[in-house]
Amino acid sequence: MVAEAAAAERVVAELREACAAPPARLNDVAAAMEAEMRAGLREEGGSKIKMIISYVDNLPTGNEEGFFYALDLGGTNFRVLRVQLAGKEKRVAKRESKEVSIPPHLMSGNASELFGFIASALAKVIAEEGRNDVFQDKQRELGFTFSFPVRQTSIASGTLIKWTKAFSIDDAVGEDVVAELQMAMEKHGVDMRVSALINDTVGTLAAGRYNDEDVVIGVILGTGSNAAYVEEASAIPKFEGELPKSGNMVINTEWGNFYSSCLPITEYDQALDEESLNPGEQIFEKLISGMYLGEIVRRVLLKIASQSTLFGKVNHTKLKTRFILRTPDISAMHHDETADLRVVAEKLADNLKIKDTSLETRKMVVEICDIVTSRSARLAAAGIVGILRKIGRAVPGDERRSVIAIDGGLFEHYPEFRQCLESTLVELLGEEASRSLVVKLTKDGSGLGAALIAAAHSQYQH
Protein backbone atom coordinates (compact mmCIF):
# COMPACT_ATOMS: atom_id res chain seq x y z
CA MET A 1 0.00 0.00 0.00
CA VAL A 2 2.94 2.28 0.73
CA ALA A 3 4.14 1.97 -2.86
CA GLU A 4 0.57 2.67 -4.09
CA ALA A 5 0.42 5.86 -2.03
CA ALA A 6 3.86 6.89 -3.27
CA ALA A 7 2.81 6.55 -6.91
CA ALA A 8 -0.28 8.67 -6.28
CA GLU A 9 1.70 11.25 -4.32
CA ARG A 10 4.13 11.52 -7.20
CA VAL A 11 1.25 12.37 -9.58
CA VAL A 12 0.03 15.06 -7.16
CA ALA A 13 3.54 16.48 -6.67
CA GLU A 14 4.03 16.70 -10.44
CA LEU A 15 0.65 18.38 -10.79
CA ARG A 16 1.53 20.93 -8.07
CA GLU A 17 4.77 21.77 -9.82
CA ALA A 18 3.19 22.02 -13.29
CA CYS A 19 0.38 24.28 -11.98
CA ALA A 20 2.68 26.52 -9.93
CA ALA A 21 1.88 30.21 -10.40
CA PRO A 22 4.29 32.17 -8.21
CA PRO A 23 4.16 36.00 -8.35
CA ALA A 24 7.08 36.27 -10.81
CA ARG A 25 5.28 34.01 -13.26
CA LEU A 26 1.97 35.83 -12.79
CA ASN A 27 3.67 39.16 -13.47
CA ASP A 28 4.89 37.67 -16.76
CA VAL A 29 1.30 36.59 -17.54
CA ALA A 30 0.02 40.11 -16.75
CA ALA A 31 2.73 41.65 -18.96
CA ALA A 32 1.91 39.25 -21.80
CA MET A 33 -1.81 40.06 -21.45
CA GLU A 34 -1.05 43.79 -21.65
CA ALA A 35 1.17 43.29 -24.72
CA GLU A 36 -1.54 41.23 -26.47
CA MET A 37 -4.12 43.91 -25.64
CA ARG A 38 -1.96 46.62 -27.22
CA ALA A 39 -1.38 44.47 -30.32
CA GLY A 40 -5.11 43.80 -30.63
CA LEU A 41 -5.93 47.52 -30.37
CA ARG A 42 -3.35 48.37 -33.04
CA GLU A 43 -4.86 46.31 -35.84
CA GLU A 44 -7.62 43.80 -36.57
CA GLY A 45 -6.21 40.32 -36.14
CA GLY A 46 -3.02 41.69 -34.59
CA SER A 47 -3.34 39.56 -31.49
CA LYS A 48 -4.56 36.27 -30.04
CA ILE A 49 -7.25 38.31 -28.30
CA LYS A 50 -9.69 40.15 -30.53
CA MET A 51 -10.06 43.42 -28.54
CA ILE A 52 -13.46 44.05 -30.12
CA ILE A 53 -14.66 47.65 -30.29
CA SER A 54 -18.13 47.53 -28.71
CA TYR A 55 -19.20 51.02 -29.87
CA VAL A 56 -20.52 51.54 -26.34
CA ASP A 57 -19.08 54.98 -25.60
CA ASN A 58 -21.48 55.94 -22.85
CA LEU A 59 -22.08 53.83 -19.76
CA PRO A 60 -25.09 54.42 -17.50
CA THR A 61 -24.69 57.13 -14.86
CA GLY A 62 -27.63 56.35 -12.60
CA ASN A 63 -29.61 59.37 -13.84
CA GLU A 64 -31.50 57.40 -16.48
CA GLU A 65 -35.29 57.50 -16.34
CA GLY A 66 -38.05 55.66 -18.15
CA PHE A 67 -38.94 52.17 -19.35
CA PHE A 68 -36.31 50.14 -21.19
CA TYR A 69 -36.24 46.60 -22.51
CA ALA A 70 -33.63 43.90 -22.87
CA LEU A 71 -33.54 40.76 -24.94
CA ASP A 72 -30.99 38.19 -23.82
CA LEU A 73 -30.34 35.46 -26.38
CA GLY A 74 -27.49 33.08 -25.68
CA GLY A 75 -28.76 29.53 -25.41
CA THR A 76 -31.81 27.34 -25.66
CA ASN A 77 -33.87 29.98 -23.80
CA PHE A 78 -34.10 33.70 -24.22
CA ARG A 79 -35.23 36.31 -21.73
CA VAL A 80 -37.17 39.50 -22.17
CA LEU A 81 -36.69 42.11 -19.48
CA ARG A 82 -38.61 45.29 -18.83
CA VAL A 83 -37.02 47.76 -16.47
CA GLN A 84 -38.33 51.03 -15.10
CA LEU A 85 -35.50 53.38 -14.23
CA ALA A 86 -36.21 56.24 -11.86
CA GLY A 87 -33.07 58.36 -11.68
CA LYS A 88 -30.56 58.77 -8.86
CA GLU A 89 -32.99 58.34 -5.96
CA LYS A 90 -35.02 55.28 -6.84
CA ARG A 91 -32.69 53.64 -9.37
CA VAL A 92 -34.37 50.48 -10.71
CA ALA A 93 -37.94 51.14 -9.63
CA LYS A 94 -39.33 48.00 -11.20
CA ARG A 95 -38.10 45.04 -13.22
CA GLU A 96 -39.99 42.17 -14.76
CA SER A 97 -38.59 39.35 -16.80
CA LYS A 98 -39.98 36.53 -18.82
CA GLU A 99 -38.12 33.44 -19.98
CA VAL A 100 -39.09 31.67 -23.19
CA SER A 101 -37.65 28.39 -24.42
CA ILE A 102 -36.88 28.11 -28.11
CA PRO A 103 -38.44 25.11 -29.88
CA PRO A 104 -35.56 22.90 -31.12
CA HIS A 105 -36.66 23.01 -34.77
CA LEU A 106 -36.19 26.81 -34.77
CA MET A 107 -32.54 26.44 -33.74
CA SER A 108 -31.67 24.89 -37.08
CA GLY A 109 -34.37 26.39 -39.30
CA ASN A 110 -34.07 29.77 -40.96
CA ALA A 111 -33.42 33.24 -39.58
CA SER A 112 -36.86 34.71 -40.24
CA GLU A 113 -38.54 31.89 -38.28
CA LEU A 114 -36.26 32.29 -35.25
CA PHE A 115 -36.47 36.09 -35.16
CA GLY A 116 -40.21 35.92 -35.88
CA PHE A 117 -40.64 33.70 -32.83
CA ILE A 118 -38.65 36.17 -30.70
CA ALA A 119 -40.63 39.14 -32.03
CA SER A 120 -43.94 37.46 -31.22
CA ALA A 121 -42.73 36.97 -27.62
CA LEU A 122 -41.85 40.69 -27.46
CA ALA A 123 -45.31 41.52 -28.80
CA LYS A 124 -46.87 39.46 -25.98
CA VAL A 125 -44.83 41.24 -23.33
CA ILE A 126 -46.01 44.61 -24.66
CA ALA A 127 -49.63 43.41 -24.90
CA GLU A 128 -49.51 42.32 -21.24
CA GLU A 129 -48.47 45.83 -20.19
CA GLY A 130 -51.89 47.13 -21.13
CA ARG A 131 -52.02 50.81 -21.92
CA ASN A 132 -48.78 52.62 -21.23
CA ASP A 133 -49.12 56.33 -21.93
CA VAL A 134 -45.37 56.82 -21.82
CA PHE A 135 -45.16 55.35 -25.31
CA GLN A 136 -47.86 57.48 -26.98
CA ASP A 137 -45.26 59.66 -28.65
CA LYS A 138 -42.14 57.62 -27.98
CA GLN A 139 -40.68 54.45 -29.37
CA ARG A 140 -39.78 51.64 -27.01
CA GLU A 141 -36.03 50.96 -26.81
CA LEU A 142 -34.28 47.63 -26.41
CA GLY A 143 -30.80 46.44 -25.51
CA PHE A 144 -30.00 43.17 -27.30
CA THR A 145 -27.54 40.75 -25.68
CA PHE A 146 -26.50 38.32 -28.35
CA SER A 147 -24.00 35.78 -27.01
CA PHE A 148 -22.56 34.52 -30.26
CA PRO A 149 -19.50 35.72 -32.22
CA VAL A 150 -20.42 38.93 -34.01
CA ARG A 151 -18.46 41.43 -36.07
CA GLN A 152 -19.82 44.67 -34.72
CA THR A 153 -20.00 47.70 -37.00
CA SER A 154 -21.81 50.22 -34.78
CA ILE A 155 -23.60 50.38 -31.44
CA ALA A 156 -26.67 48.77 -33.00
CA SER A 157 -25.43 46.58 -35.82
CA GLY A 158 -23.28 43.51 -36.15
CA THR A 159 -22.96 40.57 -38.51
CA LEU A 160 -23.00 37.03 -37.21
CA ILE A 161 -19.62 35.33 -37.70
CA LYS A 162 -20.78 31.82 -36.74
CA TRP A 163 -23.26 30.07 -34.49
CA THR A 164 -22.07 28.18 -31.43
CA LYS A 165 -23.86 25.97 -28.86
CA ALA A 166 -26.88 24.19 -30.38
CA PHE A 167 -27.67 26.67 -33.15
CA SER A 168 -27.08 26.21 -36.87
CA ILE A 169 -29.14 28.62 -38.94
CA ASP A 170 -27.11 28.98 -42.10
CA ASP A 171 -28.94 31.90 -43.69
CA ALA A 172 -28.22 34.12 -40.66
CA VAL A 173 -24.43 33.82 -40.90
CA GLY A 174 -22.91 36.97 -42.36
CA GLU A 175 -26.17 38.86 -41.80
CA ASP A 176 -26.83 41.79 -39.46
CA VAL A 177 -28.65 40.27 -36.48
CA VAL A 178 -30.15 43.62 -35.44
CA ALA A 179 -31.61 44.17 -38.93
CA GLU A 180 -33.10 40.64 -38.79
CA LEU A 181 -34.71 41.35 -35.41
CA GLN A 182 -35.91 44.83 -36.48
CA MET A 183 -37.54 43.33 -39.58
CA ALA A 184 -39.28 40.63 -37.55
CA MET A 185 -40.55 43.20 -35.02
CA GLU A 186 -42.03 45.33 -37.78
CA LYS A 187 -43.84 42.28 -39.19
CA HIS A 188 -45.33 41.61 -35.75
CA GLY A 189 -46.36 45.23 -35.26
CA VAL A 190 -43.82 45.81 -32.48
CA ASP A 191 -42.75 49.46 -32.47
CA MET A 192 -39.39 49.07 -30.80
CA ARG A 193 -35.90 50.24 -31.65
CA VAL A 194 -32.80 48.17 -30.91
CA SER A 195 -30.56 50.87 -29.48
CA ALA A 196 -27.65 48.64 -28.52
CA LEU A 197 -26.21 45.26 -29.46
CA ILE A 198 -23.94 43.96 -26.71
CA ASN A 199 -22.47 40.83 -25.17
CA ASP A 200 -22.86 39.77 -21.56
CA THR A 201 -19.41 40.97 -20.51
CA VAL A 202 -20.06 44.52 -21.71
CA GLY A 203 -23.44 44.24 -19.93
CA THR A 204 -21.72 43.25 -16.69
CA LEU A 205 -19.52 46.34 -16.95
CA ALA A 206 -22.63 48.51 -17.49
CA ALA A 207 -24.60 46.94 -14.64
CA GLY A 208 -21.60 47.48 -12.38
CA ARG A 209 -21.13 51.10 -13.49
CA TYR A 210 -24.82 51.90 -12.94
CA ASN A 211 -24.41 51.19 -9.23
CA ASP A 212 -20.86 52.46 -8.86
CA GLU A 213 -19.30 55.16 -11.03
CA ASP A 214 -15.78 53.83 -10.35
CA VAL A 215 -16.30 50.50 -12.16
CA VAL A 216 -13.69 50.24 -14.94
CA ILE A 217 -13.60 46.50 -15.74
CA GLY A 218 -16.31 43.86 -16.13
CA VAL A 219 -15.30 40.21 -15.91
CA ILE A 220 -17.23 36.97 -16.40
CA LEU A 221 -15.94 33.99 -14.43
CA GLY A 222 -18.55 31.31 -14.98
CA THR A 223 -18.86 28.44 -17.45
CA GLY A 224 -16.75 30.58 -19.77
CA SER A 225 -14.61 33.63 -19.14
CA ASN A 226 -14.14 37.06 -20.67
CA ALA A 227 -13.39 40.66 -19.71
CA ALA A 228 -14.43 44.10 -20.95
CA TYR A 229 -13.07 47.46 -19.85
CA VAL A 230 -13.20 51.19 -20.49
CA GLU A 231 -10.42 52.37 -22.81
CA GLU A 232 -9.55 55.89 -23.96
CA ALA A 233 -10.83 56.10 -27.52
CA SER A 234 -7.63 57.87 -28.56
CA ALA A 235 -5.64 54.79 -27.47
CA ILE A 236 -7.24 52.54 -30.11
CA PRO A 237 -5.18 52.91 -33.31
CA LYS A 238 -7.50 50.57 -35.27
CA PHE A 239 -10.57 52.71 -34.51
CA GLU A 240 -11.79 54.42 -37.66
CA GLY A 241 -14.07 57.40 -37.84
CA GLU A 242 -14.74 60.25 -35.49
CA LEU A 243 -13.77 59.76 -31.85
CA PRO A 244 -16.80 59.68 -29.53
CA LYS A 245 -17.64 62.83 -27.55
CA SER A 246 -17.20 60.98 -24.26
CA GLY A 247 -13.60 60.17 -25.19
CA ASN A 248 -14.21 56.61 -24.02
CA MET A 249 -14.85 53.27 -25.65
CA VAL A 250 -15.73 49.94 -24.08
CA ILE A 251 -13.50 47.17 -25.39
CA ASN A 252 -14.59 43.53 -25.27
CA THR A 253 -11.22 41.77 -24.95
CA GLU A 254 -12.36 38.17 -25.63
CA TRP A 255 -9.49 37.18 -23.31
CA GLY A 256 -10.53 33.51 -23.29
CA ASN A 257 -8.35 33.07 -26.39
CA PHE A 258 -5.25 34.54 -24.70
CA TYR A 259 -2.17 32.36 -24.91
CA SER A 260 1.41 32.89 -23.81
CA SER A 261 4.36 30.57 -23.28
CA CYS A 262 4.47 31.71 -19.63
CA LEU A 263 1.11 30.07 -18.81
CA PRO A 264 1.47 27.02 -16.53
CA ILE A 265 0.07 24.28 -18.79
CA THR A 266 0.00 20.62 -17.73
CA GLU A 267 -0.27 17.32 -19.64
CA TYR A 268 -3.95 17.25 -18.58
CA ASP A 269 -4.64 20.64 -20.17
CA GLN A 270 -2.91 19.57 -23.38
CA ALA A 271 -4.99 16.40 -23.62
CA LEU A 272 -8.20 18.28 -22.80
CA ASP A 273 -7.42 20.85 -25.50
CA GLU A 274 -6.60 18.21 -28.13
CA GLU A 275 -9.90 16.41 -27.50
CA SER A 276 -11.97 19.61 -27.41
CA LEU A 277 -14.21 20.98 -30.17
CA ASN A 278 -11.77 23.87 -30.71
CA PRO A 279 -8.20 22.58 -30.31
CA GLY A 280 -5.60 25.32 -29.97
CA GLU A 281 -8.23 27.95 -29.20
CA GLN A 282 -9.52 29.51 -25.96
CA ILE A 283 -6.48 28.24 -24.03
CA PHE A 284 -6.80 30.80 -21.21
CA GLU A 285 -10.48 29.96 -20.81
CA LYS A 286 -9.65 26.26 -20.65
CA LEU A 287 -7.28 26.96 -17.75
CA ILE A 288 -9.55 29.20 -15.71
CA SER A 289 -13.26 28.78 -16.44
CA GLY A 290 -15.88 26.69 -14.69
CA MET A 291 -16.57 24.53 -17.72
CA TYR A 292 -13.15 22.87 -17.41
CA LEU A 293 -12.00 22.71 -13.76
CA GLY A 294 -13.91 19.51 -12.94
CA GLU A 295 -12.70 17.91 -16.14
CA ILE A 296 -9.04 18.65 -15.29
CA VAL A 297 -9.50 17.09 -11.83
CA ARG A 298 -11.15 14.00 -13.41
CA ARG A 299 -8.14 13.52 -15.69
CA VAL A 300 -5.75 13.68 -12.72
CA LEU A 301 -7.84 11.10 -10.82
CA LEU A 302 -7.87 8.85 -13.88
CA LYS A 303 -4.08 8.94 -14.05
CA ILE A 304 -3.84 8.02 -10.36
CA ALA A 305 -6.33 5.17 -10.85
CA SER A 306 -4.33 3.85 -13.81
CA GLN A 307 -1.01 3.94 -11.94
CA SER A 308 -2.11 2.63 -8.54
CA THR A 309 -4.92 0.73 -6.83
CA LEU A 310 -5.40 3.54 -4.33
CA PHE A 311 -9.09 3.80 -5.28
CA GLY A 312 -9.55 0.05 -4.91
CA LYS A 313 -11.09 -1.99 -7.70
CA VAL A 314 -12.62 0.71 -9.84
CA ASN A 315 -14.68 0.22 -12.94
CA HIS A 316 -13.02 2.88 -15.09
CA THR A 317 -16.11 3.54 -17.22
CA LYS A 318 -17.24 6.52 -15.13
CA LEU A 319 -13.72 7.81 -14.56
CA LYS A 320 -13.18 7.80 -18.32
CA THR A 321 -16.38 9.73 -19.03
CA ARG A 322 -15.50 13.27 -20.07
CA PHE A 323 -17.07 16.11 -18.11
CA ILE A 324 -18.71 13.72 -15.64
CA LEU A 325 -17.13 15.72 -12.83
CA ARG A 326 -18.44 19.27 -12.84
CA THR A 327 -17.12 22.37 -11.11
CA PRO A 328 -19.96 22.38 -8.51
CA ASP A 329 -18.77 18.87 -7.52
CA ILE A 330 -15.20 20.14 -7.14
CA SER A 331 -16.42 23.10 -5.11
CA ALA A 332 -18.42 20.81 -2.78
CA MET A 333 -15.36 18.60 -2.20
CA HIS A 334 -13.03 21.57 -1.78
CA HIS A 335 -15.29 23.07 0.90
CA ASP A 336 -15.93 19.82 2.76
CA GLU A 337 -15.57 20.62 6.46
CA THR A 338 -16.75 17.28 7.89
CA ALA A 339 -14.17 15.48 10.04
CA ASP A 340 -14.17 12.40 7.82
CA LEU A 341 -14.58 14.29 4.53
CA ARG A 342 -17.96 12.67 3.99
CA VAL A 343 -18.91 14.99 1.10
CA VAL A 344 -15.78 13.95 -0.80
CA ALA A 345 -16.64 10.26 -0.22
CA GLU A 346 -20.19 10.84 -1.51
CA LYS A 347 -19.08 12.73 -4.62
CA LEU A 348 -16.48 10.08 -5.51
CA ALA A 349 -19.05 7.30 -4.99
CA ASP A 350 -21.95 9.01 -6.78
CA ASN A 351 -20.10 10.53 -9.74
CA LEU A 352 -17.19 8.20 -10.34
CA LYS A 353 -18.28 4.95 -8.61
CA ILE A 354 -15.14 5.14 -6.42
CA LYS A 355 -16.19 3.67 -3.06
CA ASP A 356 -14.57 2.79 0.29
CA THR A 357 -11.78 5.38 0.03
CA SER A 358 -9.50 6.02 3.00
CA LEU A 359 -9.43 9.41 4.71
CA GLU A 360 -5.88 9.93 3.36
CA THR A 361 -7.11 9.35 -0.18
CA ARG A 362 -9.98 11.79 0.29
CA LYS A 363 -7.54 14.40 1.61
CA MET A 364 -5.49 13.93 -1.53
CA VAL A 365 -8.56 14.53 -3.69
CA VAL A 366 -9.22 17.82 -1.85
CA GLU A 367 -5.60 18.78 -2.46
CA ILE A 368 -6.00 18.15 -6.20
CA CYS A 369 -9.12 20.36 -6.25
CA ASP A 370 -7.15 23.05 -4.43
CA ILE A 371 -4.19 22.94 -6.85
CA VAL A 372 -6.41 23.19 -9.96
CA THR A 373 -8.68 25.91 -8.54
CA SER A 374 -5.84 28.02 -7.13
CA ARG A 375 -4.12 28.05 -10.50
CA SER A 376 -7.37 29.14 -12.11
CA ALA A 377 -8.00 31.98 -9.63
CA ARG A 378 -4.39 33.18 -9.73
CA LEU A 379 -4.34 33.29 -13.54
CA ALA A 380 -7.66 35.18 -13.60
CA ALA A 381 -6.13 37.70 -11.17
CA ALA A 382 -3.06 38.07 -13.40
CA GLY A 383 -5.32 38.78 -16.38
CA ILE A 384 -7.14 41.49 -14.41
CA VAL A 385 -3.80 43.02 -13.37
CA GLY A 386 -2.76 43.09 -17.05
CA ILE A 387 -5.86 45.17 -17.85
CA LEU A 388 -5.36 47.45 -14.84
CA ARG A 389 -1.78 48.14 -15.91
CA LYS A 390 -2.86 48.81 -19.50
CA ILE A 391 -5.19 51.60 -18.30
CA GLY A 392 -2.82 52.90 -15.61
CA ARG A 393 -5.06 51.88 -12.71
CA ALA A 394 -4.21 50.52 -9.25
CA VAL A 395 -0.54 51.33 -9.79
CA PRO A 396 1.55 53.06 -7.11
CA GLY A 397 0.63 56.74 -6.93
CA ASP A 398 -2.79 56.24 -8.53
CA GLU A 399 -5.25 57.43 -5.89
CA ARG A 400 -8.41 56.72 -7.90
CA ARG A 401 -10.76 54.02 -6.71
CA SER A 402 -10.91 51.20 -9.27
CA VAL A 403 -13.81 48.78 -9.13
CA ILE A 404 -14.02 45.45 -10.94
CA ALA A 405 -17.52 44.09 -11.56
CA ILE A 406 -17.49 40.28 -11.72
CA ASP A 407 -20.34 37.96 -12.67
CA GLY A 408 -20.48 34.19 -13.07
CA GLY A 409 -21.09 31.11 -10.97
CA LEU A 410 -17.41 30.32 -10.47
CA PHE A 411 -16.89 33.63 -8.69
CA GLU A 412 -20.30 33.70 -7.00
CA HIS A 413 -20.63 30.12 -5.75
CA TYR A 414 -17.05 28.97 -5.17
CA PRO A 415 -15.73 30.80 -2.07
CA GLU A 416 -12.22 29.28 -2.23
CA PHE A 417 -11.86 30.53 -5.81
CA ARG A 418 -13.07 33.99 -4.92
CA GLN A 419 -10.80 34.33 -1.87
CA CYS A 420 -7.79 33.13 -3.84
CA LEU A 421 -8.52 35.60 -6.67
CA GLU A 422 -8.83 38.53 -4.23
CA SER A 423 -5.69 37.68 -2.25
CA THR A 424 -3.70 37.21 -5.48
CA LEU A 425 -4.71 40.70 -6.65
CA VAL A 426 -3.30 42.14 -3.41
CA GLU A 427 -0.15 40.02 -3.80
CA LEU A 428 0.47 41.27 -7.35
CA LEU A 429 -0.50 44.92 -6.88
CA GLY A 430 1.03 45.39 -3.45
CA GLU A 431 -0.68 46.56 -0.26
CA GLU A 432 -0.73 50.24 -1.14
CA ALA A 433 -2.05 50.07 -4.70
CA SER A 434 -4.63 47.39 -3.85
CA ARG A 435 -6.21 49.62 -1.18
CA SER A 436 -7.97 51.55 -3.95
CA LEU A 437 -9.15 48.34 -5.66
CA VAL A 438 -12.62 46.89 -5.05
CA VAL A 439 -14.02 43.64 -6.43
CA LYS A 440 -17.82 43.41 -6.59
CA LEU A 441 -20.20 40.63 -7.53
CA THR A 442 -22.41 42.13 -10.24
CA LYS A 443 -25.28 40.02 -11.47
CA ASP A 444 -27.35 39.94 -14.63
CA GLY A 445 -25.24 41.97 -17.01
CA SER A 446 -26.88 40.19 -19.92
CA GLY A 447 -30.35 41.36 -18.82
CA LEU A 448 -30.22 44.48 -16.69
CA GLY A 449 -26.91 45.56 -18.24
CA ALA A 450 -28.42 45.49 -21.74
CA ALA A 451 -31.44 47.57 -20.66
CA LEU A 452 -29.07 50.08 -19.01
CA ILE A 453 -26.94 50.42 -22.15
CA ALA A 454 -30.14 50.95 -24.16
CA ALA A 455 -30.98 53.75 -21.71
CA ALA A 456 -27.49 55.29 -21.92
CA HIS A 457 -27.75 55.27 -25.74
CA SER A 458 -31.39 56.32 -25.95
CA GLN A 459 -32.48 58.46 -28.89
CA TYR A 460 -34.25 60.66 -26.34
CA GLN A 461 -31.15 61.47 -24.29
CA HIS A 462 -30.91 65.22 -23.82
Side-chain angles (χ1 to χ4, degrees):
M1 199 61 201
V2 175
E4 295 295 338
E9 275 161 18
R10 196 161 52 246
V11 172
V12 177
E14 284 166 3
L15 176 73
R16 190 185 301 105
E17 195 177 326
C19 285
R25 183 169 212 165
L26 293 178
N27 274 312
D28 289 346
V29 171
M33 178 70 79
E34 186 184 348
E36 286 289 317
M37 288 171 70
R38 290 182 188 280
L41 291 174
R42 258 197 309 280
E43 58 179 335
E44 247 359 286
S47 159
K48 270 282 193 197
I49 51 179
K50 287 202 175 76
M51 300 301 284
I52 296 168
I53 296 170
S54 71
Y55 295 92
V56 172
D57 53 2
N58 284 310
L59 285 166
T61 58
N63 294 320
E64 292 78 11
E65 292 184 5
F67 289 90
F68 294 92
Y69 298 78
L71 168 63
D72 174 14
L73 174 64
T76 50
N77 299 332
F78 65 86
R79 268 188 322 151
V80 179
L81 218 76
R82 188 171 80 112
V83 181
Q84 185 180 2
L85 304 176
K88 274 273 188 261
E89 295 305 308
K90 287 251 179 64
R91 295 291 170 137
V92 179
K94 198 173 177 191
R95 60 186 285 181
E96 296 153 291
S97 91
K98 181 179 178 176
E99 192 152 318
V100 182
S101 54
I102 301 171
H105 71 274
L106 291 182
M107 294 165 76
S108 54
N110 59 45
S112 67
E113 284 177 345
L114 174 67
F115 285 106
F117 180 75
I118 293 169
S120 66
L122 286 168
K124 273 189 202 128
V125 168
I126 292 172
E128 283 160 14
E129 282 174 18
R131 197 173 148 194
N132 192 333
D133 292 337
V134 179
F135 296 112
Q136 294 227 297
D137 53 352
K138 262 185 168 179
Q139 201 177 16
R140 288 174 169 82
E141 295 181 292
L142 173 91
F144 183 15
T145 304
F146 186 71
S147 302
F148 300 94
V150 160
R151 189 167 288 109
Q152 202 144 346
T153 42
S154 76
I155 181 76
S157 59
T159 54
L160 175 63
I161 297 169
K162 63 172 183 193
W163 289 106
T164 54
K165 303 162 205 170
F167 285 81
S168 62
I169 301 170
D170 294 343
D171 69 345
V173 176
E175 295 300 321
D176 181 349
V177 291
V178 174
E180 294 278 348
L181 178 61
Q182 241 13 117
M183 210 157 58
M185 290 194 300
E186 277 159 31
K187 271 191 195 150
H188 285 78
V190 177
D191 184 20
M192 196 181 265
R193 167 181 175 261
V194 178
S195 46
L197 173 68
I198 66 159
N199 80 343
D200 54 358
T201 318
V202 174
T204 297
L205 177 61
R209 174 67 72 97
Y210 182 69
N211 291 310
D212 189 329
E213 62 185 17
D214 294 327
V215 168
V216 287
I217 302 174
V219 180
I220 302 255
L221 289 164
T223 308
S225 182
N226 191 11
Y229 73 102
V230 183
E231 181 58 273
E232 286 176 20
S234 58
I236 311 171
K238 71 178 178 183
F239 184 68
E240 290 167 3
E242 214 175 312
L243 291 184
K245 288 192 196 69
S246 67
N248 294 325
M249 181 58 72
V250 173
I251 297 291
N252 163 21
T253 64
E254 292 292 339
W255 82 0
N257 205 41
F258 169 67
Y259 172 77
S260 160
S261 57
C262 54
L263 288 171
I265 291 175
T266 68
E267 59 186 272
Y268 310 103
D269 304 304
Q270 284 167 336
L272 183 153
D273 176 51
E274 280 161 19
E275 292 168 31
S276 70
L277 294 171
N278 53 349
E281 290 176 37
Q282 299 298 105
I283 299 297
F284 193 55
E285 183 170 74
K286 285 169 184 165
L287 296 176
I288 68 174
S289 81
M291 170 107 184
Y292 302 100
L293 300 186
E295 175 62 4
I296 297 166
V297 171
R298 178 195 69 81
R299 287 169 183 267
V300 179
L301 297 179
L302 179 62
K303 182 168 184 182
I304 290 171
S306 64
Q307 294 196 355
S308 78
T309 55
L310 200 63
F311 297 136
K313 285 195 168 56
V314 182
N315 173 346
H316 283 190
T317 321
K318 289 286 187 196
L319 247 185
K320 284 186 171 155
T321 308
R322 292 167 56 193
F323 294 98
I324 196 165
L325 207 57
R326 293 165 47 252
T327 299
D329 303 320
I330 305 291
S331 175
M333 294 195 287
H334 200 166
H335 297 108
D336 188 355
E337 285 174 358
T338 58
D340 58 350
L341 294 179
R342 196 170 58 250
V343 178
V344 177
E346 284 166 8
K347 288 285 176 196
L348 291 174
D350 294 348
N351 291 51
L352 303 171
K353 299 287 177 269
I354 296 175
K355 298 185 170 111
D356 309 321
T357 46
S358 70
L359 181 59
E360 287 311 307
T361 301
R362 297 200 287 277
K363 281 182 179 162
M364 186 181 70
V365 172
V366 174
E367 190 183 348
I368 294 166
C369 295
D370 187 62
I371 292 169
V372 171
T373 299
S374 300
R375 176 187 65 166
S376 160
R378 289 177 71 79
L379 288 175
I384 290 169
V385 169
I387 298 177
L388 287 167
R389 290 185 180 154
K390 166 69 185 78
I391 55 176
R393 290 280 187 152
V395 290
D398 176 32
E399 298 289 304
R400 294 168 298 178
R401 190 169 161 268
S402 297
V403 183
I404 298 159
I406 306 187
D407 192 9
L410 187 56
F411 182 75
E412 183 180 359
H413 301 302
Y414 199 151
E416 288 280 351
F417 175 92
R418 185 174 179 163
Q419 285 151 11
C420 181
L421 174 102
E422 290 176 353
S423 62
T424 307
L425 286 169
V426 176
E427 193 181 338
L428 295 177
L429 296 168
E431 288 291 337
E432 187 201 340
S434 59
R435 267 191 218 113
S436 62
L437 187 74
V438 182
V439 175
K440 275 189 180 179
L441 175 65
T442 302
K443 291 173 74 163
D444 196 22
S446 54
L448 180 62
L452 293 169
I453 290 179
H457 291 81
S458 165
Q459 61 193 332
Y460 306 111
Q461 283 289 39
H462 305 303

